[in-house]
Amino acid sequence: GGDLSVYRKLYTFAGLLADQYLIFLVFRVYRRQVGLRQVNLEGEAYFEVTRNEDKPFVVHTKYLDIEVLGTSFNVYSYERENVMEMALISGRIKIQTCSEPSRVVYLKPNEKALFNKESGIITVEKTDNRFETAWLRGDLVFRSTTLSDVLAKLERRYGVNIHLNDSSLANDLFTGNFD
């Protein structure tokens, strides 16, 4: 029950909500069921969640559910992207796939989970949280990223279309920062 709050943002939304979680949201749709510690997300968001063992906080995406007790983490979940990412900044999170057979992984700080939507495979790797939260500072940071992925992120960030005249460059790797 409760009211449904819907935010469609083209810019960053940041706020401390009544049930004590902080959210930074960029580009896409965020729905929150009032009175529950649950959100549905398409896009990228950073959460800082107050611990409440009796009422876990859950982020629902189309492919994964992310359950936390008290933590900070980043979720990257765009519909047009083949891979979803969840990076844990502090605390502990449980990630469960929504499709059968259901798979569960737990993350520790400085780890991130990558979920391939096509294969259904979820993997865990070490990460640098400064990189994972760079967008909160307005930075775009790329590490060995294909040029086609760099251009897609620049298109999304600036609301423009970028055409690559030489498609043979699409898989070339780029490392650098835009701030």
Side-chain angles (χ1 to χ4, degrees), residues 131-142:
F131 171 76
E132 301 299 336
T133 58
W135 67 274
L136 292 169
R137 298 180 299 278
D139 298 340
L140 285 173
V141 179
F142 301 100

Side-chain angles (χ1 to χ4, degrees), residues 9-28:
K9 298 306 278 184
L10 297 176
Y11 304 99
T12 302
F13 164 80
L16 182 62
L17 301 174
D19 43 357
Q20 298 298 300
Y21 56 93
L22 180 67
I23 177 175
F24 293 88
L25 175 71
V26 173
F27 301 109
R28 290 291 181 258

Side-chain angles (χ1 to χ4, degrees), residues 61 64-67 73-77 82-89 93-97 103-117 120-129 131-132:
T61 70
L64 299 173
D65 291 332
I66 304 155
E67 182 179 326
F73 60 102
N74 195 72
V75 180
Y76 182 87
S77 174
N82 187 42
V83 175
M84 289 180 56
E85 299 180 15
M86 290 71 48
L88 183 61
I89 310 307
I93 61 175
K94 171 186 169 184
I95 301 167
Q96 183 169 353
T97 58
R103 289 170 295 288
V104 174
V105 298
Y106 294 89
L107 292 186
K108 296 179 285 191
N110 296 306
E111 288 184 338
K112 80 175 180 179
L114 299 136
F115 177 73
N116 185 300
K117 295 176 187 177
I121 294 173
I122 189 166
T123 58
V124 175
E125 62 184 43
K126 294 284 185 195
T127 191
D128 179 343
N129 286 331
F131 171 76
E132 301 299 336

Side-chain angles (χ1 to χ4, degrees), residues 39-41 59-66 75 77 84 98:
V39 297
N40 296 316
L41 175 71
V59 177
H60 299 284
T61 70
K62 185 174 180 178
Y63 299 94
L64 299 173
D65 291 332
I66 304 155
V75 180
S77 174
M84 289 180 56
C98 295

